[in-house]
Amino acid sequence: MASLFWCVFCAVVCRSTADSLLQTWRRNSAADAGVEGKHQVLIPKPLKHSSGGDTLHLTGWKLEVLKEAAKSAGQETWRIVNAQVLSRLSRLKDGEAEDFKVEFLHQIEAPPVEHLRERREGYVLNVTKSGILVVAPSSWALANAMATLYQLLSIRVASGMSIPGCPHYIEDEPSFVHRGVLLDVSRQWYS
């Protein structure tokens, strides 16, 4: 009976603590990022992120502009943009032709075999109502930028796809050049 009481007590305390921590984190993240809704939780959190109050509504025509810009930027750019964004999106209704421009500032070749410390993964992403600008000097940087662009999308059945909070200006790069996993072996020892 005592163990049942202890389990119920821990569940109640842990839940209320987790809820208050989550509310505090949301409040602090929204204040830090200056954005509302799901866009305050870009993972990983970018070094710089500013946003506005406009909304970019995506149409089939605008996705076609993105597709053509990626193809004209090179085979590797097209491969990454298709894998990270376009292949994940459903077909949209064709919209009217508008003044919308997508630009990739760097021509990306197939990724060379580089030493891990020489990889350039930093990028700049600028999303406005009139276009998207991607500054990504390598395939790793472009993959990171496209993953961020996909996270910005808001997909609703009634209203379609949009990117609220435009203009988004995002600068990001990894804090460390290496990735790692920590395995706690305190209970079992592996040589």
Side-chain angles (χ1 to χ4, degrees):
M1 187 65 168
S3 62
L4 177 63
F5 171 75
W6 182 250
C7 289
V8 170
F9 174 75
C10 287
V12 169
V13 169
C14 290
R15 176 154 175 95
S16 64
T17 304
D19 288 344
S20 66
L21 286 173
L22 185 60
Q23 288 172 357
T24 303
W25 178 78
R26 284 182 180 152
R27 193 170 42 252
N28 290 341
S29 294
D32 290 343
V35 293
E36 298 292 329
K38 79 176 192 99
H39 308 289
Q40 67 193 16
V41 191
L42 290 174
I43 300 175
K45 184 178 178 181
L47 294 176
K48 293 182 183 176
H49 181 195
S50 62
S51 63
D54 291 335
T55 300
L56 167 62
H57 295 284
L58 293 178
T59 60
W61 185 83
K62 289 179 181 176
L63 287 182
E64 192 63 32
V65 171
L66 175 63
K67 180 179 172 181
E68 292 304 317
K71 283 184 177 180
S72 66
Q75 183 64 28
E76 185 66 12
T77 301
W78 160 244
R79 189 181 67 77
I80 293 169
V81 171
N82 186 44
Q84 292 284 351
V85 178
L86 296 174
S87 66
R88 296 176 174 181
L89 303 177
S90 61
R91 177 115 167 88
L92 293 175
K93 296 177 190 173
D94 292 335
E96 295 182 17
E98 300 174 40
D99 185 23
F100 186 76
K101 184 177 181 183
V102 176
E103 189 174 359
F104 296 91
L105 287 188
H106 292 281
Q107 181 79 21
I108 297 175
E109 303 298 326
V113 178
E114 293 181 1
H115 189 272
L116 185 62
R117 294 189 185 277
E118 297 170 359
R119 284 186 10 183
R120 296 171 299 165
E121 296 185 48
Y123 66 91
V124 174
L125 180 64
N126 192 15
V127 181
T128 64
K129 285 182 76 170
S130 60
I132 300 171
L133 173 68
V134 181
V135 181
S138 69
S139 58
W140 296 283
L142 182 59
N144 292 341
M146 291 298 104
T148 301
L149 180 65
Y150 186 74
Q151 287 185 59
L152 290 173
L153 283 172
S154 175
I155 302 172
R156 305 237 187 263
V157 175
S159 60
M161 282 187 268
S162 63
I163 299 178
C166 286
H168 285 279
Y169 178 80
I170 299 171
E171 279 184 49
D172 196 21
E173 64 182 351
S175 299
F176 303 101
V177 294
H178 61 277
R179 305 290 196 274
V181 175
L182 174 64
L183 178 61
D184 182 6
V185 294
S186 62
R187 294 179 190 229
Q188 288 101 16
W189 176 256
Y190 297 99
S191 60

